[in-house]
Amino acid sequence: MAKHKAMCWIVCILVFVGALNWGLTGLGMLMGSNLNVVNLLLGAWPTIEEIVYLLVGIAGLVFGYTVLVSKCCCCMGKCEK
């Protein structure tokens, strides 16, 4: 159970990072600058940057499945059964 809870929190953190990054990227595009945090931090290592994007995408799928199918989210603390 502890392993599942740890994975769930990792998924929540990755989804948060992805949402924050997309929001800042959109804001940066409106302002005419690069606010893509992942690119700014990892742009020198394109393969690592791609892996981060892949992990965020997988986390989004897991998060969506958990919320839509299980009616549960580890970040909420309570789940419908």
Side-chain angles (χ1 to χ4, degrees), residues 36-59:
N36 183 334
V37 177
V38 175
N39 179 261
L40 292 172
L41 293 175
L42 301 172
W45 302 297
T47 303
I48 302 298
E49 183 182 2
E50 292 163 0
I51 290 170
V52 168
Y53 287 130
L54 182 63
L55 290 174
V56 168
I58 292 169

Side-chain angles (χ1 to χ4, degrees), residues 2-4 10 13 17-18 22 24-25 28 33 37 40 43 45 47-48 50 57 72 76:
K3 187 177 185 179
H4 173 71
I10 290 169
I13 290 167
V17 166
W22 273 108
L24 287 172
T25 299
S33 62
V37 177
L40 292 172
W45 302 297
T47 303
I48 302 298
E50 292 163 0
C72 180
M76 293 187 302

